[in-house]
Amino acid sequence: MKNYWRILFLAVITNAASAQSPEDIKSHVRHSIDELKQFVALPNDALNADDIDSNLIWLRDKFNQRGFNTSILETENLPLFFAALPMDDTKPTVLFYMHLDGQSVDPSKWDQANPYETVLKSKDGDGWKAEDCKALDADINYDWRLFGRSTSDDKGPIVMFLNAIDLLKKNGKELAFNVKVILDSEEEKSSKPLPQAVRTYKELLLADFLVINDGPVHPSGKATVTYGCRGITTLSLTTFGPIKPQHSGHYGNYAPNPGFQLAQVLAGMKDTDGKVTIPGYYDGITINEATDQVLKSVPDSDTEISKKLQFRTAEKVGAFYQESLQYPSLNIRGLGSGWIGEKARTIVPATATAELDLRLVPESDGTRLKSLVKKYVQNQGFHITDTEPTKEERLAHDKIMMIMEGSVTDAFRTDLDNPYGQFLVNTMANTFNEDVVQIRIMGGTVPIAPFINELQIPAFIVPMVNADNNQHSPNENLKIGQIAYGIRTFYALMSSPTSQN
């Protein structure tokens, strides 16, 4: 890729390139808050196409105001949003990825009437109390927070980016890169149209490297660069007993219980240390000494993680938290049979179902891992089907399991010594005057593999929001100080000079 090796020289940058007045930053933080409130007020549930349309209209207006050329890119389902500033062939090109959709909300679980109406709150003991936004006109407390759906995941970073552009223009800074932006409208639905869309719009999306602005910074609050993320796929396992739930007095000890059948299968998939016992599950994964040192450099505390999550002993897939993320996982994300709690009934259930998610690393192919799980189930004596078993199948087989497969989102991981990564780390270190946390691969999933596979470019995650933001959950929030952090980061990354500036 053009300009690839020249980027090595970008580490030699001056603090002046990223210097920003605290007063200017605070002014743009205040404007960002108002703009974010407008943006959050637009519901953005990816399950509702009308929601996405209204968000696209808002984005087109805001990006056009900043001088971007914008396009709505049609896909097999919901469209993507694309924006680019005028191009200069003498400069390398950076492509920023964020997403505009959000998780669905259950208003009854939120500590405010409307999750799409941003509420300003300050810390009050172990909780939070609402504050009047007019208080921000006098001063801005960077410890206060904005509560609302998608404040952090992922509308906040989009607004930070826009306001960094404003500040760059105000200060007369020349951009060191051609800047392109792609905003996904189905990230929370695994971005199924994205692979084909990237192929369709390949020429439009061409860039030298990709920066993903999604997810939280390290819990330490330090500047963070992540070189990859795990992928994901899913399996749904259902076992069958009697055709209908039966009285446990009449048929207990006689009708096969699908709950026990399923429990026996699941229990055999892992040993008592939490390691997957399915043969071949961890094949191909090695960690050399240099990688081990990078993993250990992340300022995690396994003791603090255990205290926070309130468990005594971690599973032994890795020797410590970061090492555990280097392996594919096998997780029971949901488990059900019959009724529980006050609704419990004395019955032999008709079915039992386990929902599994498998987090992937670059060495593990999701389709292969699903095949390994299915082979393991088959070896336990089950007849496997992908549809409800017929009467004939029920009478022909002692044990039946219906297995439904989910789609595969691939993992990605850029080499730790990639020069674009060195540029990001050095720019951020100079901006914040501290060491940058470098994470080899994060546990969550961002559907970025299509960009890497099609465009053949390195990708990096530069997160902007606080680690305790409650993304995907009730009371999602964004710490105001992170808005300042995001503006400073975008400002520095786009204005730090190349060797030709």
Side-chain angles (χ1 to χ4, degrees):
M1 181 67 70
K2 179 171 65 72
N3 297 308
Y4 180 85
W5 291 109
R6 180 166 61 81
I7 250 3
L8 280 169
F9 295 100
L10 297 175
V12 187
I13 59 177
T14 64
N15 285 328
S18 58
Q20 307 137 31
S21 158
E23 292 75 19
D24 277 346
I25 293 293
K26 187 164 285 191
S27 172
H28 283 78
V29 167
R30 182 67 186 89
H31 183 263
S32 295
I33 292 171
D34 291 337
E35 205 159 36
L36 183 58
K37 288 172 64 179
Q38 297 172 11
F39 198 10
V40 169
L42 301 173
N44 62 337
D45 190 334
L47 300 177
N48 188 337
D50 290 339
D51 281 4
I52 300 305
D53 284 344
S54 61
N55 280 266
L56 291 171
I57 292 170
W58 189 92
L59 287 164
R60 184 170 57 193
D61 178 57
K62 294 297 180 179
F63 274 84
N64 285 345
Q65 288 177 21
R66 271 82 176 192
F68 282 83
N69 298 313
T70 61
S71 300
I72 306 299
L73 307 182
E74 297 299 329
T75 75
E76 297 168 340
N77 196 17
L78 298 179
L80 301 167
F81 178 85
F82 176 79
L85 290 172
M87 302 289 286
D88 180 343
D89 290 341
T90 66
K91 296 178 180 179
T93 300
V94 56
L95 175 64
F96 290 101
Y97 169 95
M98 291 169 273
H99 66 92
L100 61 107
D101 63 319
Q103 287 278 333
S104 302
V105 298
D106 179 355
S108 68
K109 299 292 194 297
W110 285 68
D111 295 332
Q112 60 197 66
N114 182 0
Y116 294 111
E117 182 178 335
T118 304
V119 178
L120 176 67
K121 296 184 181 182
S122 64
K123 193 70 176 171
D124 183 23
D126 293 332
W128 298 90
K129 68 175 182 179
E131 298 284 353
D132 190 335
C133 282
K134 292 180 180 179
L136 299 174
D137 295 334
D139 192 18
I140 298 177
N141 188 324
Y142 279 1
D143 290 327
W144 288 7
R145 302 199 182 191
L146 301 168
F147 284 75
R149 173 57 83 224
S150 297
T151 50
S152 61
D153 184 31
D154 195 27
K155 288 185 174 181
I158 296 172
V159 171
M160 296 172 201
F161 173 87
L162 290 170
N163 281 269
I165 292 289
D166 291 342
L167 186 54
L168 286 161
K169 288 185 176 181
K170 177 181 177 181
N171 291 344
K173 284 288 185 181
E174 180 183 355
L175 297 183
F177 299 92
N178 295 312
V179 175
K180 297 181 178 180
V181 180
I182 186 73
L183 303 181
D184 196 347
S185 59
E186 293 191 70
E187 193 273 347
E188 302 294 5
K189 293 170 54 182
S190 300
S191 300
K192 291 180 182 179
L194 198 57
Q196 180 58 49
V198 175
R199 287 191 288 270
T200 301
Y201 301 109
K202 182 176 180 178
E203 293 299 319
L204 191 66
L205 298 171
L206 285 176
D208 290 276
F209 66 113
L210 174 67
V211 175
I212 303 117
N213 304 114
D214 192 12
V217 299
H218 186 265
S220 65
K222 291 186 175 182
T224 306
V225 173
T226 301
Y227 292 79
C229 69
R230 294 199 289 185
I232 190 171
T233 190
T234 59
L235 287 169
S236 178
L237 313 181
T238 300
T239 51
F240 298 86
I243 188 64
K244 294 180 180 180
Q246 299 295 322
H247 191 290
S248 64
H250 298 321
Y251 291 102
N253 288 348
Y254 190 77
N257 190 301
F260 278 108
Q261 289 184 359
L262 184 59
Q264 289 161 0
V265 172
L266 295 174
M269 290 182 178
K270 284 191 172 185
D271 63 21
T272 55
D273 285 332
K275 295 179 180 177
V276 176
T277 60
I278 298 171
Y281 203 83
Y282 299 131
D283 282 1
I285 299 168
T286 58
I287 298 175
N288 60 31
E289 185 176 348
T291 298
D292 185 61
Q293 291 302 310
V294 172
L295 299 179
K296 289 178 177 177
S297 73
V298 179
D300 290 330
S301 168
D302 285 9
T303 300
E304 289 303 315
I305 293 174
S306 295
K307 285 182 180 179
K308 179 182 178 181
L309 302 184
Q310 297 186 24
F311 60 78
R312 181 176 178 179
T313 304
E315 293 184 333
K316 301 295 190 300
V317 177
F320 53 97
Y321 175 65
Q322 289 297 326
E323 186 178 345
S324 73
L325 300 180
Q326 312 309 307
Y327 295 87
S329 70
L330 179 61
N331 177 59
I332 300 174
R333 61 176 181 162
L335 189 61
S337 183
W339 293 264
I340 61 172
E342 294 181 354
K343 296 181 179 180
R345 305 178 186 181
T346 51
I347 52 96
V348 178
T351 63
T353 298
E355 299 289 347
L356 308 183
D357 65 58
L358 292 66
R359 294 286 176 172
L360 313 173
V361 295
E363 294 86 352
S364 61
D365 175 78
T367 300
R368 186 183 75 86
L369 292 191
K370 287 188 293 186
S371 295
L372 292 178
V373 173
K374 291 171 69 175
K375 182 178 179 181
Y376 169 83
V377 171
Q378 196 168 37
N379 289 341
Q380 308 310 303
F382 282 84
H383 169 71
I384 295 177
T385 177
D386 59 2
T387 59
E388 290 275 349
T390 64
K391 179 179 179 179
E392 289 72 23
E393 285 178 301
R394 286 174 175 271
L395 295 177
H397 301 281
D398 289 327
K399 296 189 293 185
I400 300 172
M401 183 177 289
M402 181 175 68
I403 300 182
M404 307 295 288
E405 299 186 34
S407 60
V408 175
T409 299
D410 292 328
F412 87 88
R413 188 179 62 232
T414 300
D415 291 341
L416 291 166
D417 60 356
N418 183 279
Y420 291 101
Q422 293 174 9
F423 160 71
L424 294 171
V425 169
N426 282 286
T427 301
M428 295 173 72
N430 281 333
T431 300
F432 296 104
N433 296 313
E434 64 179 9
D435 290 337
V436 174
V437 177
Q438 299 183 66
I439 297 175
R440 186 181 187 230
I441 194 166
M442 73 176 194
T445 300
V446 182
I448 296 303
F451 291 99
I452 298 165
N453 295 338
E454 292 297 326
L455 305 182
Q456 295 294 300
I457 57 175
F460 309 88
I461 300 171
V462 180
M464 300 295 182
V465 304
N466 43 295
D468 57 345
N469 66 74
N470 293 336
Q471 66 187 78
H472 295 191
S473 301
N475 303 314
E476 180 179 350
N477 66 85
L478 174 63
K479 188 176 181 180
I480 291 179
Q482 293 301 134
I483 299 177
Y485 171 88
I487 292 173
R488 293 181 67 190
T489 301
F490 279 124
Y491 185 106
L493 295 183
M494 289 188 282
S495 64
S496 296
T498 69
S499 60
Q500 293 182 0
N501 293 127

